[in-house]
Amino acid sequence: MTSTTVEHLVAEVEEEYAFSGVLPLYMFAWSLAGLGLDRSDSGFEELCWEAYRQFTDRHPEARLVELPWPIDVARAKPVGPDVHLQLDLDPDAPPSTWLQALIRSDRVTG
């Protein structure tokens, strides 16, 4: 199930990225949950990480940034290499918390 699940998850996030050139990292967990896997399942996080690795391997042009909600690419800030990546949202975080996202390099304004 895992390789097929990862393939389906990558297809889901590819669709989001192709539509807008922006892929909030939380979409890995949200999309996997939408495929029917519960966040409490033991392999949930690893499936998200494997999909993230496959996606970034396929999209070397994608840039990792932080941006506000609602998504505002004009305010995107690059993320350093040693930042902790968050492939899901913290339900207790305030709405003003900035999101991590991958954006197409042609969408980067700064």
Side-chain angles (χ1 to χ4, degrees), residues 19-67:
F19 176 72
S20 65
V22 178
L23 177 60
L25 295 190
Y26 69 78
M27 289 302 297
F28 286 94
W30 282 32
S31 296
L32 185 55
L35 292 172
L37 198 64
D38 192 273
R39 283 175 167 80
S40 64
D41 288 349
S42 62
F44 188 91
E45 187 174 353
E46 184 52 40
L47 290 170
C48 288
W49 281 108
E50 180 56 32
Y52 174 82
R53 286 187 286 272
Q54 287 187 24
F55 182 88
T56 54
D57 285 349
R58 293 178 190 180
H59 294 282
E61 80 288 351
R63 300 294 175 251
L64 184 60
V65 299
E66 288 183 322
L67 36 70

Side-chain angles (χ1 to χ4, degrees), residues 66-70 86 89-90 92-100:
E66 288 183 322
L67 36 70
W69 178 260
Q86 300 169 333
L89 289 177
D90 176 357
D92 297 323
S96 61
T97 301
W98 281 42
L99 307 172
Q100 294 175 340

